[in-house]
Amino acid sequence: MDRRVRRSRQLSWQALVGLILEKGYDRITVQDIIDRADIGRSTFYAHFTDKDDLLLSGLEEFGAAFEDNLKQHFATRGDPSPALPVFQHAYENRDVYRALAGNRGGEVLRDGLRRQVSEAMAHHLGEVIPVGDPALPSEVTVEFLISSLLGLLAWWLDSDMPYAPEQMADMYMKLALQGVPAAYGI
């Protein structure tokens, strides 16, 4: 991707995130984004059809970065827990996460973030979930773990991150590791 194209896209994404935090996604116009990013209207429309297209594009890139973060975590630490890289990534990208998962983001954004995180984590969780219990399919367990993690993440963001990422990951794992193994009789 050309450097100018990358810069325009990045400025547009940063403008969108900042505006979501200020006024909520539904109240943002393309003109707001153009003004905040300090780009021309034709530049914006050369890259995006509307603010929804900008959002989807940003979520794709954000999801790819999140997936890379997870892969690096699992490759270097040997830790099967997805909680720590999620909370660390959220901490490092707090404005984006607050915009997407917080109260200002709205349901559409939370669904988009959920989809990105779920897709990235499902594979990794599937590798550590016991199989063979027909009364408790692994996809139900994965959904439970992802839903509880994302719910806790949203609370943490909306509460201004009162605990460090490592503390949040530890608390999540204590809660998750008590229930899931017990359900499988482990």
Side-chain angles (χ1 to χ4, degrees):
M1 187 182 302
D2 179 273
R3 182 175 37 135
R4 291 172 296 165
V5 170
R6 192 171 50 247
R7 182 178 179 277
S8 295
R9 292 176 68 86
Q10 182 179 21
L11 287 172
S12 298
W13 174 248
Q14 290 170 346
L16 178 64
V17 168
L19 288 164
I20 290 170
L21 290 170
E22 285 177 24
K23 56 199 271 185
Y25 182 73
D26 294 334
R27 296 182 45 210
I28 297 171
T29 65
V30 169
Q31 189 62 51
D32 293 332
I33 297 167
I34 290 168
D35 291 344
R36 174 69 61 91
D38 195 24
I39 60 173
R41 181 171 289 280
S42 60
T43 300
F44 179 87
Y45 284 112
H47 304 293
F48 312 105
T49 57
D50 55 19
K51 73 175 187 176
D52 294 339
D53 188 34
L54 167 58
L55 173 66
L56 293 174
S57 173
L59 281 173
E60 255 181 52
E61 291 178 24
F62 190 71
F66 177 75
E67 175 67 25
D68 289 346
N69 189 35
L70 270 181
K71 285 179 183 173
Q72 181 180 0
H73 171 80
F74 289 117
T76 59
R77 295 188 57 148
D79 178 1
S81 163
L84 183 57
V86 170
F87 285 107
Q88 284 176 330
H89 195 254
Y91 183 78
E92 293 164 3
N93 299 280
R94 64 182 67 86
D95 286 343
V96 176
Y97 273 87
R98 280 186 178 131
L100 299 177
N103 291 330
R104 292 285 200 177
E107 204 60 37
V108 172
L109 297 181
R110 281 189 290 278
D111 287 347
L113 177 64
R114 177 183 179 70
R115 190 172 38 258
Q116 292 293 332
V117 171
S118 295
E119 288 173 5
M121 288 176 49
H123 171 72
H124 299 292
L125 284 173
E127 293 175 355
V128 296
I129 300 296
V131 293
D133 185 348
L136 194 55
S138 61
E139 63 266 14
V140 171
T141 305
V142 169
E143 180 60 28
F144 169 78
L145 291 170
I146 290 171
S147 295
S148 60
L149 179 61
L150 291 175
L152 192 57
L153 178 65
W155 170 83
W156 184 58
L157 292 165
D158 286 339
S159 299
D160 291 325
M161 301 177 172
Y163 304 101
E166 295 79 11
Q167 290 174 294
M168 289 303 298
D170 285 345
M171 288 186 275
Y172 169 79
M173 291 307 296
K174 282 179 184 172
L175 292 167
L177 289 177
Q178 297 295 318
V180 172
Y184 282 98
I186 299 173

PDB file of all heavy atoms in Angstrom, residues 20 28 38 56 58 61-62 82-84 90 120 124 130 169:
ATOM      1  N   ILE A  20     -15.999   8.678  17.943  1.00  0.00           N
ATOM      2  CA  ILE A  20     -16.867   7.730  18.642  1.00  0.00           C
ATOM      3  C   ILE A  20     -16.791   7.975  20.142  1.00  0.00           C
ATOM      4  O   ILE A  20     -17.812   7.998  20.834  1.00  0.00           O
ATOM      5  CB  ILE A  20     -16.483   6.270  18.323  1.00  0.00           C
ATOM      6  CG1 ILE A  20     -16.824   5.928  16.873  1.00  0.00           C
ATOM      7  CG2 ILE A  20     -17.196   5.307  19.273  1.00  0.00           C
ATOM      8  CD1 ILE A  20     -16.255   4.591  16.401  1.00  0.00           C
ATOM      9  N   ILE A  28     -22.005  10.568  14.240  1.00  0.00           N
ATOM     10  CA  ILE A  28     -20.860  10.990  13.421  1.00  0.00           C
ATOM     11  C   ILE A  28     -21.268  11.067  11.955  1.00  0.00           C
ATOM     12  O   ILE A  28     -21.943  10.181  11.440  1.00  0.00           O
ATOM     13  CB  ILE A  28     -19.688  10.001  13.579  1.00  0.00           C
ATOM     14  CG1 ILE A  28     -19.200   9.978  15.017  1.00  0.00           C
ATOM     15  CG2 ILE A  28     -18.537  10.357  12.636  1.00  0.00           C
ATOM     16  CD1 ILE A  28     -18.204   8.867  15.295  1.00  0.00           C
ATOM     17  N   ASP A  38      -8.443  15.934   8.734  1.00  0.00           N
ATOM     18  CA  ASP A  38      -7.831  16.972   7.888  1.00  0.00           C
ATOM     19  C   ASP A  38      -7.443  16.408   6.522  1.00  0.00           C
ATOM     20  O   ASP A  38      -6.301  16.554   6.064  1.00  0.00           O
ATOM     21  CB  ASP A  38      -6.629  17.593   8.588  1.00  0.00           C
ATOM     22  CG  ASP A  38      -6.203  18.907   7.930  1.00  0.00           C
ATOM     23  OD1 ASP A  38      -7.045  19.552   7.278  1.00  0.00           O
ATOM     24  OD2 ASP A  38      -5.014  19.273   8.055  1.00  0.00           O
ATOM     25  N   LEU A  56     -15.658  -0.871   8.970  1.00  0.00           N
ATOM     26  CA  LEU A  56     -15.368  -2.266   8.629  1.00  0.00           C
ATOM     27  C   LEU A  56     -13.909  -2.455   8.241  1.00  0.00           C
ATOM     28  O   LEU A  56     -13.275  -3.435   8.631  1.00  0.00           O
ATOM     29  CB  LEU A  56     -16.291  -2.735   7.506  1.00  0.00           C
ATOM     30  CG  LEU A  56     -17.768  -2.842   7.883  1.00  0.00           C
ATOM     31  CD1 LEU A  56     -18.603  -3.170   6.649  1.00  0.00           C
ATOM     32  CD2 LEU A  56     -17.980  -3.867   8.974  1.00  0.00           C
ATOM     33  N   GLY A  58     -11.374  -0.590   9.204  1.00  0.00           N
ATOM     34  CA  GLY A  58     -10.585  -0.452  10.421  1.00  0.00           C
ATOM     35  C   GLY A  58     -10.667  -1.691  11.296  1.00  0.00           C
ATOM     36  O   GLY A  58      -9.674  -2.122  11.869  1.00  0.00           O
ATOM     37  N   GLU A  61      -8.398  -4.467   9.819  1.00  0.00           N
ATOM     38  CA  GLU A  61      -6.988  -4.243  10.126  1.00  0.00           C
ATOM     39  C   GLU A  61      -6.713  -4.456  11.614  1.00  0.00           C
ATOM     40  O   GLU A  61      -5.705  -5.046  11.997  1.00  0.00           O
ATOM     41  CB  GLU A  61      -6.573  -2.833   9.703  1.00  0.00           C
ATOM     42  CG  GLU A  61      -6.551  -2.648   8.202  1.00  0.00           C
ATOM     43  CD  GLU A  61      -6.197  -1.235   7.782  1.00  0.00           C
ATOM     44  OE1 GLU A  61      -5.536  -0.521   8.572  1.00  0.00           O
ATOM     45  OE2 GLU A  61      -6.582  -0.848   6.670  1.00  0.00           O
ATOM     46  N   PHE A  62      -7.633  -3.987  12.439  1.00  0.00           N
ATOM     47  CA  PHE A  62      -7.496  -4.153  13.882  1.00  0.00           C
ATOM     48  C   PHE A  62      -7.542  -5.630  14.244  1.00  0.00           C
ATOM     49  O   PHE A  62      -6.767  -6.108  15.069  1.00  0.00           O
ATOM     50  CB  PHE A  62      -8.617  -3.379  14.574  1.00  0.00           C
ATOM     51  CG  PHE A  62      -8.454  -3.284  16.053  1.00  0.00           C
ATOM     52  CD1 PHE A  62      -7.473  -2.488  16.604  1.00  0.00           C
ATOM     53  CD2 PHE A  62      -9.295  -3.981  16.899  1.00  0.00           C
ATOM     54  CE1 PHE A  62      -7.321  -2.393  17.978  1.00  0.00           C
ATOM     55  CE2 PHE A  62      -9.152  -3.894  18.265  1.00  0.00           C
ATOM     56  CZ  PHE A  62      -8.163  -3.093  18.804  1.00  0.00           C
ATOM     57  N   PRO A  82      -5.857 -17.296  26.548  1.00  0.00           N
ATOM     58  CA  PRO A  82      -5.968 -16.137  25.658  1.00  0.00           C
ATOM     59  C   PRO A  82      -6.231 -14.850  26.425  1.00  0.00           C
ATOM     60  O   PRO A  82      -6.239 -13.781  25.841  1.00  0.00           O
ATOM     61  CB  PRO A  82      -7.174 -16.497  24.797  1.00  0.00           C
ATOM     62  CG  PRO A  82      -8.040 -17.275  25.734  1.00  0.00           C
ATOM     63  CD  PRO A  82      -7.075 -18.075  26.581  1.00  0.00           C
ATOM     64  N   ALA A  83      -6.452 -14.918  27.724  1.00  0.00           N
ATOM     65  CA  ALA A  83      -6.863 -13.742  28.486  1.00  0.00           C
ATOM     66  C   ALA A  83      -5.792 -12.664  28.537  1.00  0.00           C
ATOM     67  O   ALA A  83      -6.081 -11.489  28.332  1.00  0.00           O
ATOM     68  CB  ALA A  83      -7.284 -14.145  29.891  1.00  0.00           C
ATOM     69  N   LEU A  84      -4.559 -13.033  28.831  1.00  0.00           N
ATOM     70  CA  LEU A  84      -3.517 -12.026  28.965  1.00  0.00           C
ATOM     71  C   LEU A  84      -3.305 -11.229  27.677  1.00  0.00           C
ATOM     72  O   LEU A  84      -3.298  -9.997  27.725  1.00  0.00           O
ATOM     73  CB  LEU A  84      -2.204 -12.648  29.457  1.00  0.00           C
ATOM     74  CG  LEU A  84      -1.071 -11.648  29.697  1.00  0.00           C
ATOM     75  CD1 LEU A  84      -1.476 -10.576  30.704  1.00  0.00           C
ATOM     76  CD2 LEU A  84       0.173 -12.381  30.167  1.00  0.00           C
ATOM     77  N   ALA A  90      -5.890  -4.711  24.701  1.00  0.00           N
ATOM     78  CA  ALA A  90      -6.886  -3.687  25.019  1.00  0.00           C
ATOM     79  C   ALA A  90      -6.229  -2.508  25.742  1.00  0.00           C
ATOM     80  O   ALA A  90      -6.554  -1.347  25.472  1.00  0.00           O
ATOM     81  CB  ALA A  90      -8.000  -4.278  25.870  1.00  0.00           C
ATOM     82  N   ALA A 120     -10.492 -14.901  16.234  1.00  0.00           N
ATOM     83  CA  ALA A 120      -9.080 -15.065  16.560  1.00  0.00           C
ATOM     84  C   ALA A 120      -8.877 -16.060  17.697  1.00  0.00           C
ATOM     85  O   ALA A 120      -7.927 -16.836  17.704  1.00  0.00           O
ATOM     86  CB  ALA A 120      -8.474 -13.703  16.930  1.00  0.00           C
ATOM     87  N   HIS A 124      -7.599 -20.996  19.100  1.00  0.00           N
ATOM     88  CA  HIS A 124      -6.684 -21.238  20.215  1.00  0.00           C
ATOM     89  C   HIS A 124      -7.389 -21.915  21.392  1.00  0.00           C
ATOM     90  O   HIS A 124      -6.818 -22.784  22.036  1.00  0.00           O
ATOM     91  CB  HIS A 124      -6.026 -19.932  20.654  1.00  0.00           C
ATOM     92  CG  HIS A 124      -5.212 -19.303  19.564  1.00  0.00           C
ATOM     93  ND1 HIS A 124      -4.055 -19.864  19.086  1.00  0.00           N
ATOM     94  CD2 HIS A 124      -5.399 -18.182  18.842  1.00  0.00           C
ATOM     95  CE1 HIS A 124      -3.557 -19.109  18.127  1.00  0.00           C
ATOM     96  NE2 HIS A 124      -4.357 -18.083  17.956  1.00  0.00           N
ATOM     97  N   PRO A 130     -11.285 -29.793  26.395  1.00  0.00           N
ATOM     98  CA  PRO A 130     -11.467 -31.249  26.276  1.00  0.00           C
ATOM     99  C   PRO A 130     -12.605 -31.574  25.297  1.00  0.00           C
ATOM    100  O   PRO A 130     -13.551 -30.807  25.168  1.00  0.00           O
ATOM    101  CB  PRO A 130     -11.857 -31.677  27.696  1.00  0.00           C
ATOM    102  CG  PRO A 130     -11.483 -30.546  28.578  1.00  0.00           C
ATOM    103  CD  PRO A 130     -11.511 -29.308  27.744  1.00  0.00           C
ATOM    104  N   ALA A 169      -6.320 -10.644  33.652  1.00  0.00           N
ATOM    105  CA  ALA A 169      -6.143 -11.976  33.062  1.00  0.00           C
ATOM    106  C   ALA A 169      -6.140 -13.041  34.152  1.00  0.00           C
ATOM    107  O   ALA A 169      -6.774 -14.090  34.003  1.00  0.00           O
ATOM    108  CB  ALA A 169      -4.852 -12.027  32.248  1.00  0.00           C
TER     109      ALA A 169
END
